[in-house]
Amino acid sequence: MTELALKYGCNPNQKPSRIYMKEGELPITVLNGKPGYINFMDAFNSWQLVRELKAATGMASAASFKHVSPAGAAIGTPLSDVEKQIYFVDTEEELSPIACAYIRARGADRLCSYGDWVALSDTCDAQTATYLKYEVSDGIIAPSYTDEALEILKSKRKGGYTVIQIDPDYEPAAIERREIFGITFEQGHNNLKIDEEMLVNIVTENKELPQQAKLDMIVSLITLKYTQSNSVCYVKNGQTIGVGAGQQSRIHCTRLAGNKADNWFLRHHPKVLGLQFVDGIRRPDRDNAIDVYTSDEYEDVLAEGVWQTKFKVKPEPLTAEEKKAWIATQSGVTVGSDAFFPFGDNVERAKKSGVAYIAQPGGSIRDDHVIDTCNKYGIVMSFTGIRLFHH
């Protein structure tokens, strides 16, 4: 198949729409559903991310995409008991690496992952499909599916869930083209390989970069490579915990991603873990309730007549003082940036979310100030020398 007609483009008024190959066959097979234009944009960007993450780490990898940027990405390390609780995993059995990878990717920012596009580096198994069955999601791309997994996925969305299989050996042409306003742009495909060699230029006084931090830097940089710029990514234990995408200001990226990282960590707070939801609550309603409860608008979900629709027992508020104290205990977080930090304020904000390691290109006229700010807090910073803009 060299061409696939689509219902419409980014919007219903943008017709006709299709994907096609100028030479050769399309490297995908639609196993179920009717993917659209944006679905394929998410599919191909997310597939590149998980493919590169698997190649760089040797571990099963997954991503949860929304609007051509990752809401979350992760490698398939085992889930702790607390992680199972905050990601709502209702099983005692040992989960496969690819299932763990997707659960962690989806759990990075469950609110933003609502209606996501899923990408898996490895075969989609029944465990992954079973977890995905109960999540609101638009579709999935993977190199293969077990028969059981495929049957589970085909049952989603009244049989209309989109399932795409991609040829794992497919490589894009060296030159890529796109049109904007009828004008063709051309550039070399971004085949930059991200690995530990990119992290050796440590410019801070503290040069102790443990293996886990190196792994987290790689996760952050590969994630940024497929995130709409400007972008900043916070990572902990092989999982993104905050992605700030598409902001015009670097500090706004850092704040946005940092706030998401804080929200992720607040979900570990004993008061959040102790929330007693009413029986039969829908997953999106539960996720929204947690998000509001941990925000400054917590009174909206604790109001009389409202809390009874969410909780069996009215929760005590999670006060600003409690949140600040809890977030202050966060540590060992890594931050990656797709371009240089122009000022030390980015480091100041990152530090508030427990950041101990930073990977960024360097090259600002204020690099000295950024380095000094890192030194003030004992943060380790690597200059990669490589920009990772993605548009």
Side-chain angles (χ1 to χ4, degrees), residues 7 51 53 61 83 94 108 111 145 202 224 226 368 389:
K7 189 175 181 180
R51 182 180 72 158
L53 203 51
S61 304
E83 286 176 324
E94 184 177 351
L111 208 64
Y145 301 81
I202 299 176
L224 290 167
Y226 297 101
D368 56 346
F389 277 176

Side-chain angles (χ1 to χ4, degrees), residues 318-353:
L318 184 59
T319 67
E321 292 75 16
E322 288 175 314
K323 288 190 287 187
K324 184 177 181 180
W326 182 257
I327 291 170
T329 66
Q330 175 71 293
S331 62
V333 177
T334 293
V335 154
S337 177
D338 67 352
F340 61 69
F341 281 162
F343 303 104
D345 56 355
N346 291 276
V347 178
E348 296 280 358
R349 174 59 190 89
K351 174 61 180 175
K352 293 178 181 178
S353 296

Side-chain angles (χ1 to χ4, degrees), residues 207-278:
K207 300 186 185 298
E208 295 183 13
L209 189 61
Q211 188 59 40
Q212 182 62 58
K214 292 179 182 179
L215 181 63
D216 289 349
M217 284 184 173
I218 289 172
V219 172
S220 72
L221 294 173
I222 293 177
T223 299
L224 290 167
K225 188 179 176 186
Y226 297 101
T227 303
Q228 295 298 298
S229 299
N230 287 324
S231 57
V232 167
C233 179
Y234 290 59
V235 175
K236 187 169 184 178
N237 295 333
Q239 171 190 352
T240 66
I241 59 174
V243 179
Q247 302 302 301
Q248 291 75 27
S249 166
R250 181 70 41 186
I251 186 59
H252 287 162
C253 292
T254 306
R255 290 171 184 165
L256 175 59
N259 291 343
K260 290 184 176 185
D262 292 345
N263 290 341
W264 174 83
F265 191 54
L266 284 173
R267 289 173 58 194
H268 296 69
H269 193 282
K271 280 191 173 182
V272 179
L273 295 176
L275 292 173
Q276 300 179 49
F277 294 98
V278 297

Side-chain angles (χ1 to χ4, degrees), residues 81-129:
D81 290 340
V82 172
E83 286 176 324
K84 285 185 177 181
Q85 186 174 354
I86 66 174
Y87 302 149
F88 305 104
V89 179
D90 301 321
T91 180
E92 295 299 323
E93 67 176 316
E94 184 177 351
L95 293 167
S96 65
I98 194 62
C100 289
Y102 177 64
I103 291 168
R104 299 176 85 225
R106 175 89 186 199
D109 188 346
R110 288 189 58 83
L111 208 64
C112 287
S113 283
Y114 179 86
D116 69 342
W117 185 273
V118 181
L120 306 179
S121 66
D122 294 11
T123 299
C124 179
D125 59 14
Q127 287 184 330
T128 310

